[in-house]
Amino acid sequence: MSADDSPDQTPFSLLAVLAARYPEWTIWFGEATGHWWALPPHDREPGEFIEAPTVKELVESIEALKARPRVPYQTRGPSPGAARGRLPAASRPGGRIR
C-alpha cells in the first residue's frame, strides 16, 4: 500500500483504503490517541490486537500477523473434573462446599 500519513490524506480516506484491503479486520483511527487500531478476524486469538502510530506500521503489523500460522481460538474448555466425569460439589444438587 502506498498510503502514508501525509497531511493531505485524512484518517477517513485512509480508513477506506484499509477497509478495502483488509475487509475481515476491524480497523479504526483513535482521535483521542492519534493512533491506528486493528482487531483481527474472529478466527484469530483475541489478544492479537494491534495499535500503531502510523498507517505504515499498522499495515506492517497486520501483514506480519497474517503471515503467522493460525491457531484455532478456543473458548474456555471443560473444567478438569468434568473431563473425568466429576463435577464440583457445589454444582450437584444437595452438594456442599467444604
Side-chain angles (χ1 to χ4, degrees):
M1 174 181 341
S2 62
D4 60 7
D5 289 2
S6 61
D8 60 331
Q9 289 187 301
T10 67
F12 295 111
S13 63
L14 290 171
L15 191 56
V17 171
L18 291 168
R21 182 165 180 179
Y22 304 106
E24 68 279 6
W25 287 71
T26 302
I27 300 172
W28 70 96
F29 178 77
E31 291 185 15
T33 63
H35 286 196
W36 289 89
W37 300 82
L39 281 174
H42 294 292
D43 61 348
R44 291 282 186 178
E45 187 71 30
E48 297 176 323
F49 191 90
I50 298 173
E51 175 187 8
T54 66
V55 170
K56 181 181 178 195
E57 290 178 60
L58 183 76
V59 169
E60 289 170 354
S61 296
I62 290 172
E63 291 298 330
L65 186 61
K66 286 177 65 177
R68 290 188 354 215
R70 291 183 184 192
V71 177
Y73 174 65
Q74 296 178 358
T75 58
R76 277 179 75 190
S79 67
R84 293 187 297 274
R86 298 187 319 217
L87 294 174
S91 67
R92 293 189 300 244
R96 294 180 7 172
I97 298 176
R98 295 179 194 164

